[in-house]
Amino acid sequence: MQSWIMQHWVVLGAGSEMARPFLRRLAGEGASLFLAGRNLADLETLAQDLRLRGAAAAEVVAFDARDSAGYPALVARLAACEGVLNAASFVGAMPDQAAIDADPGLIAGVIADNFTGPATFLSLLAPVLEARGAGVVVGIGSVAGDRGRIGNYVYGAAKAGFATYLSGLRNRLGRRGVQVMTVKPGPVATRMTAGMTLPFMTTPEAVAEDIAQGIAKRRNVIYTARIWGPVMRVIRAIPEPIFKKLSI
C-alpha cells in the first residue's frame, strides 16, 4: 500500500477473534480504523489498545448484519474521509447444524450474518470505492462454502453465497483499480472451535499474516491454512454419488 496516503479501514465484525490480529497489524501501519460491530463497549476497549499500537484513529461504529437501517449513514461517514478507503468483513455465525435442523427459523440469521448483511453494506460502499479508483475489500468466506457437507450445510450455503457475491464484486471493482479478495479459512482456533479436534487447524494470527500477504500480492482468493486449497480441490472433485456416502 502507499504509506504516504492515509489508509482508512472499516472492519465489520471487528470484535471477532479472527479480526483482532489483522487490526493490530493495521494499527502498526498507522491506519485509521473504524471498528464496526454489535458489542460497542468491547470495541471501545479494543479501540484504545489499537491507538496505543499506532493507529492514526480508531473509531467505534455500530453494525448489525441483521439490521441494515444504519448502513447508509456509516457509508456517508466513510465517504467523507480523505484518502484510500478499504473494507474487511469478518462477520459470521455458525450455529450447530443439529440446532438448525431442530429450528429452521435460525436459517435467516445465519444467512444474514454470513452473506446478506455484509453484502448489503459492501454494495452501498462499492460506488464510493469505484469513484476513488483504489482500495481493498477483504471478505471472509470459508472452506465450508466449497461444497455442501452434512455437518454444516446451512453455514456452508451462506458462505458459498458470499463467495459468489465477492467474485462478482471483484469483476466489477477490479475494473476500477479496487482489489477484492476472498479469504477461505479452514478451522481456526477460536472460541467457536474450542474443544473440537479438527484437521489443519490454524490460528487467528496466521490468518492475519496470510491476509496481509494476499493483499500485497493482489490475490483474488486465498485459503488459510494454505493446505486447504489442494484439499478442497480433491473434495470438489469427488463424484456426487460417492460424496453422498461420506461423513465429511
Side-chain angles (χ1 to χ4, degrees), residues 100-184:
I100 297 173
D101 293 341
D103 181 9
L106 296 174
I107 292 176
V110 175
I111 299 297
D113 287 342
N114 293 290
F115 174 20
T116 56
T120 299
F121 176 82
L122 292 174
S123 293
L124 291 170
L125 186 64
V128 181
L129 299 178
E130 281 181 313
R132 300 198 179 188
V136 176
V137 174
V138 175
I140 304 298
S142 172
V143 297
D146 278 16
R147 193 159 190 183
R149 291 177 287 168
I150 193 169
N152 62 357
Y153 57 90
V154 170
Y155 172 77
K159 287 299 190 182
F162 190 43
T164 301
Y165 168 82
L166 290 169
S167 179
L169 189 67
R170 178 161 48 248
N171 200 329
R172 172 186 173 183
L173 296 185
R175 303 170 190 224
R176 305 300 290 269
V178 180
Q179 179 188 3
V180 178
M181 186 172 74
T182 305
V183 181
K184 296 186 177 185

Side-chain angles (χ1 to χ4, degrees), residues 36-55:
R38 295 173 181 166
N39 189 336
L40 302 186
D42 178 60
L43 291 178
E44 288 288 359
T45 300
L46 177 60
Q48 292 177 17
D49 176 68
L50 294 172
R51 292 184 200 109
L52 291 174
R53 292 176 183 270

